[in-house]
Amino acid sequence: MSGSTFFVTASGTDIGKTYVTTGLIRALLSAGRKVEALKPLITDFTDATQSGSDTVLILQALGKEPTEQAIEHVSPWRYTAALAPDMAAAREGLVVPYDDVIAYCRDARAALSDETTLIVEGAGGVLVPVDDTHTMRDFMTDLTATPILVVGSYLGTISHTLTALEALQSHGLSPAAIVVSESEDAGIPLDETCDAIERFIGDVPLVPVPRGDQDAFSRLAALLSR
């Protein structure tokens, strides 16, 4: 795991990427690992939302103060509209500078020690547009990062999970794990959902994360360390 780059993506939006990202960060740090994290593109970032933003939550998990400089480092491209990055940028008369985003992440990774794990959190799901021609799938491909696919346990998640997995695998991206983050008021037992998904994912590891179960992240961290 040391020196690895993982890209936390999802089957959709509001699935639990940041919950998994921050839980994994804390688990790695508790295990004595060196870890850094980036969320280079963030939307719905305003003065009103900043304190509870994904960027600040990531900094808190890293044990860092959410100073202006720290926020700039983790999330250099911040947009106010709660939309996909390309749409949010367009609202401000901008275009997401895709090549610059990739270069920034590469440079950040190059500055880390060989023992440090880098976690990059995406925005939205696997095929969310970044600009006119690139999606999050292109982002993780061009960054040569290993995906961690976060999915929910709600009704319908099986199809969404398998669709996202196929979108990754069809482009040569093999997830380190599928993390099933238990959805609030799912109405379906988490273990039943996990059992159904496992029948179709081959040898991709699956990690259930019951709500509030922090030990699940230790299991995820141990899996990624193999």
Side-chain angles (χ1 to χ4, degrees), residues 14-15 152-156 181-190 193 209-211:
D14 292 330
I15 297 294
S153 66
Y154 54 85
L155 181 64
S181 180
E182 185 175 19
S183 303
E184 189 173 6
D185 301 324
I188 306 166
L190 179 61
T193 297
V209 178
R211 294 186 69 81

Side-chain angles (χ1 to χ4, degrees), residues 13-14 23 47 51 61 67 87 90 135 150 157 160 164 177 196 215 224:
T13 192
D14 292 330
D47 290 342
S51 62
T67 63
M87 297 171 67
T135 66
V150 181
T157 193
H160 296 166
D215 290 340
L224 299 180

Side-chain angles (χ1 to χ4, degrees), residues 37-40 55 58-59 62 69-76 104:
L38 299 172
K39 185 173 178 112
T55 305
I58 287 170
L59 284 166
L62 289 167
Q69 182 179 10
I71 289 171
E72 176 69 22
H73 174 71
V74 172
S75 300
Y104 181 84

Side-chain angles (χ1 to χ4, degrees), residues 1 21 24-30 32-37 61-62 64 112 115-119:
M1 175 189 232
T21 297
L24 178 57
I25 289 170
R26 291 189 172 95
L28 291 170
L29 292 174
S30 294
R33 303 280 184 174
K34 294 180 180 179
V35 58
E36 286 295 340
L62 289 167
K64 298 180 179 182
L112 300 175
E115 294 78 30
T116 302
T117 297
L118 176 62
I119 300 174

Side-chain angles (χ1 to χ4, degrees), residues 149-153 157 161 178-183 190 193-194 197 206-210:
L149 177 59
V150 181
V151 304
S153 66
T157 193
T161 299
I178 295 175
V179 180
V180 185
S181 180
E182 185 175 19
S183 303
L190 179 61
T193 297
C194 291
I197 291 171
L206 186 143
V207 180
V209 178

Side-chain angles (χ1 to χ4, degrees), residues 2-225:
S2 296
S4 299
T5 301
F6 294 101
F7 194 106
V8 180
T9 188
S11 56
T13 192
D14 292 330
I15 297 294
K17 289 189 308 299
T18 304
Y19 179 63
V20 171
T21 297
T22 55
L24 178 57
I25 289 170
R26 291 189 172 95
L28 291 170
L29 292 174
S30 294
R33 303 280 184 174
K34 294 180 180 179
V35 58
E36 286 295 340
L38 299 172
K39 185 173 178 112
L41 296 165
I42 186 169
T43 61
D44 191 23
F45 191 96
T46 66
D47 290 342
T49 63
Q50 176 175 315
S51 62
S53 67
D54 295 348
T55 305
V56 169
L57 293 174
I58 287 170
L59 284 166
Q60 290 172 342
L62 289 167
K64 298 180 179 182
E65 289 294 321
T67 63
E68 183 175 341
Q69 182 179 10
I71 289 171
E72 176 69 22
H73 174 71
V74 172
S75 300
W77 291 274
R78 305 180 297 278
Y79 304 102
T80 59
L83 298 168
D86 66 327
M87 297 171 67
R91 287 277 184 95
E92 299 175 32
L94 302 171
V95 174
V96 175
Y98 180 80
D99 290 342
D100 292 345
V101 175
I102 298 297
Y104 181 84
C105 293
R106 287 175 176 165
D107 289 346
R109 178 171 58 190
L112 300 175
S113 69
D114 291 340
E115 294 78 30
T116 302
T117 297
L118 176 62
I119 300 174
V120 179
E121 182 183 326
V126 170
L127 292 180
V128 161
V130 177
D131 65 6
D132 287 348
T133 58
H134 297 93
T135 66
M136 285 293 158
R137 180 175 62 190
D138 297 310
F139 189 166
M140 59 189 92
T141 298
D142 291 338
L143 190 57
T144 61
T146 302
I148 296 172
L149 177 59
V150 181
V151 304
S153 66
Y154 54 85
L155 181 64
T157 193
I158 297 170
S159 179
H160 296 166
T161 299
L162 300 182
T163 300
L165 179 61
E166 183 170 329
L168 291 170
Q169 292 179 328
S170 66
H171 280 63
L173 293 164
S174 179
I178 295 175
V179 180
V180 185
S181 180
E182 185 175 19
S183 303
E184 189 173 6
D185 301 324
I188 306 166
L190 179 61
D191 58 345
E192 290 185 22
T193 297
C194 291
D195 288 346
I197 291 171
E198 276 192 303
R199 295 201 301 270
F200 296 94
I201 62 174
D203 59 358
V204 179
L206 186 143
V207 180
V209 178
R211 294 186 69 81
D213 181 5
Q214 297 304 306
D215 290 340
F217 297 114
S218 296
R219 296 192 289 274
L220 176 61
L223 172 66
L224 299 180
S225 299

